Amino acid sequence: MRRLLTQICAIAVVATFALACAPKGTTLKGRVMCDNRPVAGVVVSDGEQVVQTNERGYYYLSSTKPYGTIFISTPSGYAPQMKDGVRADFWAHTTAEATVCERHDFNLREIDDKLQEVLFLTDTHFCNDPKREDFKYFRELAMPAINRVAEACVSDKLAICLGDITWDRFWYATGVSIDDVPQHLISHNFPMPFYCVHGNHDYDPSVGPDQNPNCNAIKRFINTFGPTFYSFNRGNVHFVLLDNIVYKNEIKPDQKVAKGVVGSRNYDLYVDEAQLEWLKRDLALVDKSSTLVVCMHAPLFTYNGNGEQVYSLVADNAEALVDVVKEFESVKFFTGHSHRTMSFVHPQYPHIVEYNLTSIGGDLWNTPSKWGVTIGEDGADAGFYLCTFSEQGFSRQWHSTEDGNPYPFRVYDMNVVAREYKSNQALKHLVRLQRNQTSYAQKQFQNYIYINCWAWEQGSTLAVTQGDKQLVVEKVTHSDPMAAKMIFAKPSILKTTKESKKINRLSIAPNMFRAKCLDATGEVVVTLTTPSGGTVSQTFKRPIQ
């Protein structure tokens, strides 16, 4: 026993001596350990510099502490310990002045991450608004779906929220802000570690344009969830979380603001130069044969009002970001913000794909209480993706919050839809008002079925059969009839006389397909086959109500 104590003391002395002998100018230092063993080669960063731990697990940084945090990029085969029930302990706040040396240690746990399951969700918009009842519906709709998926996972799992976890307009009106999110998730027994991207609604709206809002309005998010950009590894996958919102919160003439809000909460969409430089340094240490997963709030791509794929970020900045990541063999962007479900393939680099997710609350939690379903502006079910990364490849599966609905599409019988468009005055006014809205009451839609397939991506196939007849399926640029009725054709629209550019842009379902049936009543079978070979099939007896 005495010999063991002597050895332990000797090790402690050596460790203390190693830290005490930090290089001159060191302002951040520490050690990364796992089960009392040093972990070498762990990437450590202050958001500017990127270094690695030495063979004894030590790191040293001569840092100005530019972002007020220090963080590690968890290596493959390891996961961080937990700060609490949902937040991983991979980062720490710096506490001393920029020139004063301080120590931050990190402890890891070993995991088997050859198979990694990741739940991607976005735009929860927690606000505790009594009109929307977001807390209630997150508890009653989203959490049961998340728990079902978590219980079925067979490997190490984690969740990544792609931003707008709160709604800044309500921070001071209802008292629910970013500070409250961890406890809110813990109170719901959220079943896995929760990583969070920063969104435009996660800034403190009380910070005005003369207070450097892009730096100062983000402080409460950093205090709660840590750095706004960082990376970690799982198996052969390198995850990078970026902040592509540049907050301005400008004051505009005659603006109406909510309690505690001082500006218009406006922003630009790009990844700033400092992040791009950090990203280059981070990726320089990663094998280019790894799968690179980039998580951001605003999408890289979007569709314009004509249904054309264009950059969502400032074009030059989007190209600069693509230039940094394009050397990897497989690059997957996961994004939110749009409240629509879309997928894109880069026109020049087909190995770069993007999955843009709809809000888990659909149309800002507006539809459950009024219509009994939670859908987004494109008609897609509210939900989330569970993605699997393994040596065998990548797969993703859409999970609806609608009582576990397994079908990633909705089918409309246009003969039935036509009757609604003939009788609903708000829908008729919407069609008259908005140039890209089609009146489904027209005879040309007779005997068609429309399929809003929100899980569709390039490489998918959608087949429709009626009896032994394979029907022709075509992609169309039309709106979703249910979204048109529930979200855009509200009774108040009857008082509107001006066309809305926002409705024109948002109301087109990006993955709408149609097939003309042989008659008005024949049964049809719709089958989606994904690029990974998975199939989902559903039979419909017509008329479909």
Side-chain angles (χ1 to χ4, degrees):
M1 177 63 74
R2 182 176 297 174
R3 180 177 296 177
L4 177 61
L5 289 173
T6 301
Q7 290 175 338
I8 292 173
C9 290
I11 292 171
V13 168
V14 171
T16 303
F17 180 76
L19 281 170
C21 294
K24 185 178 180 180
T26 296
T27 56
L28 289 170
K29 64 184 180 180
R31 200 178 195 191
V32 181
M33 303 282 284
C34 178
D35 293 331
N36 294 318
R37 302 189 316 272
V39 185
V42 178
V43 172
V44 186
S45 179
D46 61 354
E48 188 174 87
Q49 299 181 63
V50 175
V51 300
Q52 290 178 282
T53 57
N54 63 23
E55 69 278 2
R56 292 185 176 181
Y58 296 111
Y59 71 88
Y60 307 96
L61 275 165
S62 296
S63 170
T64 60
K65 308 171 188 176
Y67 297 97
T69 59
I70 179 78
F71 55 92
I72 61 172
S73 182
T74 316
S76 297
Y78 297 90
Q81 300 292 338
M82 300 298 292
K83 288 180 180 289
D84 50 33
V86 292
R87 292 179 294 178
D89 192 14
F90 66 92
W91 59 274
H93 292 296
T94 57
T95 55
E97 296 294 326
T99 57
V100 176
C101 186
E102 58 186 288
R103 176 177 177 174
H104 297 281
D105 296 339
F106 298 94
N107 289 294
L108 304 176
R109 57 186 177 88
E110 284 191 275
I111 61 171
D112 181 358
D113 57 7
K114 293 184 179 65
L115 174 68
Q116 179 66 50
E117 292 168 293
V118 182
L119 188 152
F120 291 95
L121 70 158
T122 191
D123 293 81
T124 56
H125 288 282
F126 291 137
C127 60
N128 200 23
D129 178 12
K131 294 181 179 179
R132 302 170 197 276
E133 298 184 286
D134 51 289
F135 278 11
K136 171 186 175 182
Y137 290 116
F138 182 77
R139 180 180 67 251
E140 295 180 356
L141 298 177
M143 280 307 304
I146 290 170
N147 284 329
R148 281 193 296 269
V149 169
E151 290 167 4
C153 286
V154 297
S155 69
D156 187 70
K157 57 186 180 291
L158 59 91
I160 299 177
C161 179
L162 299 167
D164 280 1
I165 193 169
T166 62
W167 195 345
D168 51 346
R169 185 163 69 88
F170 291 92
W171 275 29
Y172 297 96
T174 65
V176 174
S177 71
I178 197 72
D179 313 346
D180 307 297
V181 171
Q183 188 55 46
H184 183 56
L185 294 172
I186 291 169
S187 71
H188 286 80
N189 296 314
F190 197 86
M192 62 191 82
F194 188 90
Y195 293 75
C196 194
V197 170
H198 187 269
N200 56 289
H201 289 295
D202 298 322
Y203 283 94
D204 184 347
S206 71
V207 179
D210 59 342
Q211 298 172 287
N212 192 5
N214 193 51
C215 291
N216 292 319
I218 207 171
K219 286 183 177 179
R220 287 172 68 178
F221 178 92
I222 294 172
N223 286 339
T224 305
F225 283 106
T228 60
F229 57 94
Y230 56 92
S231 67
F232 62 91
N233 301 275
R234 287 290 192 276
N236 193 41
V237 185
H238 187 67
F239 292 86
V240 175
L241 282 69
L242 296 177
D243 176 9
N244 62 3
I245 308 296
V246 180
Y247 194 59
K248 299 162 76 173
N249 202 22
E250 295 171 321
I251 297 173
K252 297 185 177 180
D254 302 321
Q255 69 177 24
K256 295 180 180 180
V257 297
K259 181 181 178 181
V261 178
V262 300
S264 58
R265 299 177 295 133
N266 61 325
Y267 51 88
D268 292 326
L269 299 179
Y270 61 89
V271 179
D272 65 38
E273 189 63 31
Q275 276 187 82
L276 288 175
E277 290 303 313
W278 169 84
L279 183 60
K280 291 175 186 176
R281 298 184 191 106
D282 178 79
L283 297 184
L285 301 173
V286 182
D287 190 324
K288 300 305 182 286
S289 66
S290 303
T291 296
L292 176 61
V293 172
V294 182
C295 303
M296 311 186 297
H297 181 56
L300 178 66
F301 290 106
T302 189
Y303 290 111
N304 63 18
N306 299 319
E308 301 164 328
Q309 178 176 326
V310 295
Y311 280 127
S312 171
L313 306 184
V314 175
D316 289 349
N317 182 254
E319 290 171 357
L321 176 58
V322 167
D323 195 53
V324 174
V325 304
K326 67 184 181 183
E327 299 304 320
F328 282 79
E329 292 181 8
S330 174
V331 182
K332 302 183 188 302
F333 282 84
F334 286 85
T335 55
H337 186 61
S338 72
H339 291 217
R340 296 193 288 172
T341 305
M342 302 177 282
S343 65
F344 303 95
V345 176
H346 195 287
Q348 289 178 269
Y349 308 107
H351 65 291
I352 299 178
V353 299
E354 178 178 12
Y355 302 105
N356 183 232
L357 281 68
T358 191
S359 164
I360 198 169
D363 178 42
L364 297 173
W365 304 101
N366 277 314
T367 61
S369 61
K370 299 173 184 175
W371 299 99
V373 295
T374 311
I375 64 169
E377 292 157 335
D378 61 349
D381 272 3
F384 52 87
Y385 279 123
L386 181 71
C387 295
T388 302
F389 301 88
S390 69
E391 295 174 350
Q392 285 69 47
F394 164 78
S395 65
R396 68 183 179 113
Q397 185 175 3
W398 177 258
H399 291 270
S400 169
T401 60
E402 293 302 307
D403 198 25
N405 173 29
Y407 302 106
F409 50 75
R410 183 178 294 108
V411 176
Y412 297 97
D413 188 329
M414 301 311 287
N415 295 340
V416 176
V417 170
R419 293 196 291 269
E420 183 74 29
Y421 270 72
K422 288 176 182 178
S423 61
N424 188 310
Q425 295 303 313
L427 275 173
K428 290 164 75 172
H429 188 66
L430 177 73
V431 170
R432 287 194 295 268
L433 204 61
Q434 302 294 142
R435 71 185 70 181
N436 68 350
Q437 292 296 305
T438 303
S439 174
Y440 291 131
Q442 298 176 57
K443 193 173 181 179
Q444 69 188 56
F445 298 104
Q446 187 174 347
N447 291 342
Y448 272 97
I449 61 166
Y450 269 52
I451 308 151
N452 188 347
C453 183
W454 48 84
W456 190 90
E457 63 178 301
Q458 186 165 308
S460 299
T461 58
L462 195 63
V464 180
T465 56
Q466 184 175 353
D468 59 358
K469 177 73 172 178
Q470 187 89 19
L471 304 182
V472 175
V473 178
E474 59 178 336
K475 193 173 186 180
V476 292
T477 308
H478 288 163
S479 59
D480 180 278
M482 182 181 286
K485 176 183 176 180
M486 295 182 182
I487 298 173
F488 299 110
K490 298 173 183 176
S492 59
I493 200 173
L494 293 170
K495 301 177 183 178
T496 304
T497 58
K498 293 184 179 179
E499 181 182 44
S500 165
K501 292 182 179 180
K502 182 178 180 181
I503 290 179
N504 275 338
R505 179 173 57 85
L506 294 178
S507 62
I508 298 301
N511 294 313
M512 184 68 80
F513 299 83
R514 70 178 183 180
K516 186 160 188 177
C517 300
L518 305 177
D519 52 41
T521 59
E523 186 176 273
V524 295
V525 178
V526 177
T527 302
L528 170 69
T529 304
T530 67
S532 60
T535 61
V536 180
S537 188
Q538 189 174 11
T539 301
F540 296 89
K541 293 184 178 180
R542 298 169 61 236
I544 305 168
Q545 300 299 326

